Amino acid sequence: ILENYNTDKERNNWDSDSNIHHSYGDWNNNKFNHSVEIYDEILTPLYSKIIKNFFDENLKLYKKVKYKFHIANYTCVGNSQYMKSHRHLPDFGFTCVHYLQFDPNQHKGIRLFNTNDYGPFVKHLLPSFYDKINNKEEDNSYMFEHYDYLPVEDEMIIFSGLLPHAIPRQINTTKPRISIVTNIRIEND
């Protein structure tokens, strides 16, 4: 991934608004190294266990669901780079981000946007309360327009593909923030 990043720091066939290096929509570009062995031999078995545990233990479902997942791309984001807000619709019920290289002292995590109607207005409706709310706590995220989640290196997060999310602009970074993105499709019974 770093070799590819150093070849071209602005690899982006996805949109014209983001400043990012990622592989989405550009897997067959011969300019870059395609290490599919790493995905097939290491990451896919690991992700299979994590995703199975997510469906079996974390979601409170009435019955088991069928799903399929695939590694969609990697992102490698350096100084001043970012990815605009987006969703993984209409095909994917869940999205996973695995943080391969992440330094909380110099990287920004993932920005998750509140889709509730009241998120942007809490500060105006309850101003005396709003100033006392800890915006770093996940449990309070429903009261803000967005929540900036700060992962730890090697952590994998799973969230709804419906949820708008972005990579905030990285500022004063000396090494790239690297993640693997995996999408999960819920299958019909």
Side-chain angles (χ1 to χ4, degrees):
I1 292 172
L2 284 173
E3 177 184 316
N4 289 343
Y5 180 74
N6 290 326
T7 299
D8 185 353
K9 290 181 174 43
E10 295 181 14
R11 179 184 186 188
N12 182 4
N13 282 350
W14 172 64
D15 76 340
S16 58
D17 297 327
S18 302
N19 178 353
I20 191 170
H21 174 99
H22 68 107
S23 58
Y24 188 79
D26 199 33
W27 284 108
N28 297 321
N29 188 332
N30 290 328
K31 182 177 173 181
F32 301 103
N33 181 4
H34 308 289
S35 301
V36 293
E37 301 85 25
I38 294 170
Y39 296 135
D40 293 342
E41 296 172 15
I42 298 170
L43 295 179
T44 297
L46 173 66
Y47 293 176
S48 182
K49 290 176 186 174
I50 292 170
I51 292 168
K52 181 181 183 322
N53 185 65
F54 172 75
F55 278 95
D56 291 348
E57 303 297 327
N58 296 88
L59 291 181
K60 307 300 182 214
L61 303 173
Y62 289 115
K63 62 185 221 179
K64 291 195 181 281
V65 296
K66 293 181 188 175
Y67 61 87
K68 289 186 181 174
F69 73 91
H70 76 280
I71 297 172
N73 68 304
Y74 69 79
T75 65
C76 190
V77 186
N79 194 46
S80 296
Q81 292 187 296
Y82 61 92
M83 182 181 241
K84 74 174 188 174
S85 176
H86 62 284
R87 303 172 196 229
H88 292 233
L89 295 173
D91 298 321
F92 305 107
F94 294 94
T95 297
C96 313
V97 181
H98 181 194
Y99 294 89
L100 296 182
Q101 182 166 283
F102 189 87
D103 181 344
N105 295 316
Q106 63 172 291
H107 294 137
K108 293 188 179 181
I110 186 169
R111 179 163 290 166
L112 304 166
F113 291 91
N114 187 349
T115 57
N116 290 316
D117 293 341
Y118 55 80
F121 305 108
V122 172
K123 62 184 164 194
H124 304 293
L125 297 171
L126 303 167
S128 61
F129 179 61
Y130 186 82
D131 292 340
K132 296 170 182 71
I133 303 168
N134 182 348
N135 67 353
K136 304 286 187 231
E137 288 294 327
E138 276 181 57
D139 290 345
N140 296 336
S141 64
Y142 73 97
M143 292 187 260
F144 298 94
E145 287 185 71
H146 64 266
Y147 175 70
D148 289 336
Y149 181 75
L150 194 64
V152 296
E153 190 166 277
D154 201 31
E155 179 179 9
M156 183 177 197
I157 64 169
I158 302 175
F159 56 95
S160 170
L162 303 170
L163 189 63
H165 56 283
I167 300 173
R169 184 179 305 273
Q170 305 298 299
I171 300 169
N172 297 324
T173 59
T174 58
K175 62 182 178 182
R177 167 197 185 278
I178 301 173
S179 61
I180 303 288
V181 178
T182 301
N183 288 318
I184 304 170
R185 180 188 314 272
I186 305 300
E187 300 288 304
N188 294 329
D189 287 333

